[in-house]
Amino acid sequence: PPPTLCESPDQIQSYWNLFENYFGYIANDTEHVNSQLLMDDLEGIRDGSRGSLRTACLTLAIGIESLAKRLLPESIDKIQNVQIDELLKYIYNWGGDFNIKNRAANIVGNIKGCRAVDKLYKWARANAVSDSLVDAWKDVRNPVAHGSSVIEDQQNSDNYYRAAELLNRLVASIIG
């Protein structure tokens, strides 16, 4: 789609403020790690959008997940993690098949980490961003990340563009 048209000088200034904030973000990233990773992710998402809807959805969904996991703050529930550790002890002491025990322990152990979706919902609520944008990202991500095909219909196109809006809001929030 074409770029958004600015209908007044006030809208143009908002664009330049965002641009200025981006350069400030780069300047404050003295190691140039986060800013370079952000640029790499955005370039990959842009390149992926040139392919099929499935490719565009995949690169957008994984790009958003990557940014969320890397750049949004962790929120770890220490009480929950203590309970998970107790459950892991139970699993390790279980007398069943070794392979099943390890798979179960990996599944339960993964609960300790903060998932991208959890970070996105928490960020959205803190920044007055509609949960429906995160929902659209999930609707785009889950099928393509697990190898299912994406039907090129209006619903999937709408979800793609809502997820793209989520990306834009996330980037604007990250760079200030």
Side-chain angles (χ1 to χ4, degrees):
T4 302
L5 297 175
C6 294
E7 297 177 3
S8 75
D10 293 338
Q11 291 173 330
I12 293 170
Q13 187 58 45
S14 295
Y15 170 79
W16 288 113
N17 288 342
L18 184 61
F19 205 70
E20 182 180 351
N21 288 347
Y22 176 69
F23 282 118
Y25 176 77
I26 291 172
N28 289 330
D29 184 15
T30 56
E31 300 291 320
H32 299 293
V33 174
N34 286 333
S35 58
Q36 184 60 50
L37 292 171
L38 175 62
M39 287 304 297
D40 290 346
D41 285 348
L42 293 176
E43 181 179 7
I45 292 166
R46 186 183 67 243
D47 288 348
S49 70
R50 295 180 185 141
S52 66
L53 180 62
R54 183 181 194 293
T55 301
C57 286
L58 180 62
T59 55
L60 177 63
I62 301 307
I64 291 170
E65 183 168 358
S66 175
L67 290 173
K69 289 188 111 176
R70 217 176 36 250
L71 300 175
L72 293 179
E74 292 283 330
S75 60
I76 296 174
D77 184 339
K78 292 180 182 177
I79 294 171
Q80 176 183 326
N81 283 350
V82 168
Q83 293 173 342
I84 292 169
D85 287 339
E86 290 172 5
L87 181 55
L88 285 169
K89 286 178 190 172
Y90 176 80
I91 291 170
Y92 287 126
N93 291 327
W94 178 63
D97 181 86
F98 178 78
N99 290 327
I100 294 172
K101 188 187 315 190
N102 280 344
R103 286 188 71 190
N106 285 336
I107 291 167
V108 171
N110 283 335
I111 298 170
K112 290 175 82 171
C114 190
R115 302 175 308 161
V117 68
D118 299 327
K119 288 181 166 191
L120 285 167
Y121 277 121
K122 186 173 182 177
W123 166 82
R125 291 172 186 145
N127 289 281
V129 173
S130 173
D131 281 356
S132 68
L133 298 180
V134 180
D135 294 340
W137 167 76
K138 283 175 38 183
D139 289 345
V140 164
R141 181 205 176 276
N142 291 341
V144 295
H146 296 288
S148 297
S149 62
V150 174
I151 299 168
E152 294 203 19
D153 64 3
Q154 190 61 51
Q155 181 65 41
N156 285 322
S157 292
D158 290 348
N159 284 337
Y160 173 81
Y161 286 107
R162 282 196 296 272
E165 180 181 347
L166 174 69
L167 171 69
N168 292 332
R169 289 176 180 267
L170 180 61
V171 170
S173 171
I174 288 168
I175 67 173

